[in-house]
Amino acid sequence: MASVRKLALFYAWILICGAAPLGIAQSPPASATDVWFERVEQTQAEQPHWITPLVTVTPRLEEEFRYDVFHEEQRGGARAEVYGAGKGLELIPARRVEIILSLPAYFVHRPASALDGWGDTSFLMKYRLLSSNEEHKNYILTLFFSASVPTATSGNGAGHAILTPTVSAGKGWGHFDVQSTFGVAVPSGALSRLGSPLTWNTALQYRVLRKLWPELEVNSTFWPNGSRSGKNQVFLTPGLVVGRLHLWKHAGLTFGAGMQIATTRFHTYNHNLVLSLRVPF
């Protein structure tokens, strides 16, 4: 009877201390990094595996670092170069959720019709409502909420915080997909000047040779109020995105280029060359 008690105490001690009975090795506990990447992989497996367009914000949840550069024509023959273009770090901290921590863009004006300087800082959160990957119905529906903070220097920002709720959706058929967003920008002040513009972006893509994604985007903005009340601008943006190319472990490389071409008489800029570099992980 005493030996039975000793054996029972021995196994109780094993269970409490987490040791493996009878010499059976336990697998080491997963690290926080392993748990993070496992969640990201599971989240992305539940959605289509399209590529992120050049201008249109994808409804898909991504984890990457992104850096874009714009080179655009402005009124009177001036040009502006925008480094960073408000992109930055994209993370998936929870299932169905993505946050984007954007770096302020840096504006360079040529000729110096305006002062060079930093733009506003912005943040964006996505919540994916519905999704189905390519093996099933191949669609996605996501809500966005973005906010910009007036951190610009030398007049290169709005001067007020701007909140932008957005709805985004996408649908795929084989190698072809459509991704679209619709949002309204609501400034915290100076409504009579800034207005609350409505933005509608749509990207049409076709996958070629697994890694090539030629696309055509329609980027439009309408001002129902403010100093540009009643005006509308529309751009056609042909482009090509290449990726995802594997680099090392979880890291990859995606890059692309395109040109925004104004199709309406009113436009705030034209012939905007868009260069995009992303490192998904």
Side-chain angles (χ1 to χ4, degrees):
M1 193 70 178
S3 61
V4 173
R5 287 198 192 99
K6 290 180 181 179
L7 186 62
L9 290 172
F10 174 71
Y11 272 98
W13 178 83
I14 289 175
L15 292 174
I16 292 172
C17 296
L22 303 178
I24 300 175
Q26 289 182 324
S27 57
S31 66
T33 302
D34 293 336
V35 172
W36 180 285
F37 283 118
E38 182 179 357
R39 180 184 64 248
V40 171
E41 291 175 358
Q42 290 177 350
T43 297
Q44 294 182 321
E46 299 169 348
Q47 64 186 11
H49 294 80
W50 312 320
I51 209 74
T52 300
L54 291 170
V55 180
T56 303
V57 180
T58 180
R60 300 173 58 256
L61 305 187
E62 285 281 17
E63 184 157 279
E64 63 185 10
F65 181 81
R66 178 172 175 177
Y67 189 86
D68 287 5
V69 176
F70 295 167
H71 187 78
E72 59 191 31
E73 295 179 359
Q74 297 184 325
R75 295 180 179 178
R79 304 192 68 89
E81 297 168 3
V82 186
Y83 295 95
K87 307 299 181 183
L89 183 62
E90 306 181 20
L91 298 172
I92 302 176
R95 185 170 176 266
R96 297 191 177 190
V97 175
E98 178 189 334
I99 57 173
I100 300 179
L101 308 174
S102 300
L103 300 173
Y106 189 79
F107 291 79
V108 176
H109 302 276
R110 305 179 188 279
S113 56
L115 297 177
D116 300 344
W118 296 99
D120 293 334
T121 302
S122 63
F123 310 90
L124 185 146
M125 185 181 76
K126 299 181 184 180
Y127 182 78
R128 193 180 67 198
L129 294 176
L130 302 169
S131 67
S132 177
N133 60 28
E134 294 90 335
E135 296 178 356
H136 297 89
K137 297 183 179 180
N138 204 13
Y139 69 83
I140 189 168
L141 177 64
T142 305
L143 298 180
F144 301 169
F145 185 81
S146 66
S148 67
V149 182
T151 59
T153 60
S154 305
N156 288 290
H160 294 272
I162 298 179
L163 306 179
T164 309
T166 303
V167 60
S168 178
K171 181 70 176 77
W173 299 268
H175 294 294
F176 177 76
D177 71 83
V178 179
Q179 303 176 58
S180 189
T181 65
F182 181 80
V184 54
V186 182
S188 62
L191 182 63
S192 60
R193 175 175 61 88
L194 299 174
S196 51
L198 309 175
T199 303
W200 184 16
N201 291 321
T202 300
L204 298 87
Q205 299 178 324
Y206 191 84
R207 188 179 188 181
V208 180
L209 300 175
R210 298 184 62 185
K211 302 295 185 182
L212 304 180
W213 297 80
E215 65 168 37
L216 178 65
E217 297 189 42
V218 181
N219 314 123
S220 59
T221 305
F222 173 71
W223 286 267
N225 49 26
S227 61
R228 298 171 179 168
S229 178
K231 293 183 177 179
N232 181 48
Q233 69 176 8
V234 178
F235 298 94
L236 290 182
T237 309
L240 174 68
V241 183
V242 180
R244 170 180 179 177
L245 307 176
H246 182 258
L247 289 180
W248 181 72
K249 290 188 177 181
H250 295 280
L253 175 65
T254 301
F255 57 92
M259 176 73 75
Q260 281 191 301
I261 304 169
T263 61
T264 50
R265 178 174 297 180
F266 172 79
H267 46 269
T268 55
Y269 59 89
N270 198 3
H271 300 110
N272 179 27
L273 175 61
V274 180
L275 303 175
S276 182
L277 178 66
R278 307 103 181 246
V279 180
F281 53 90

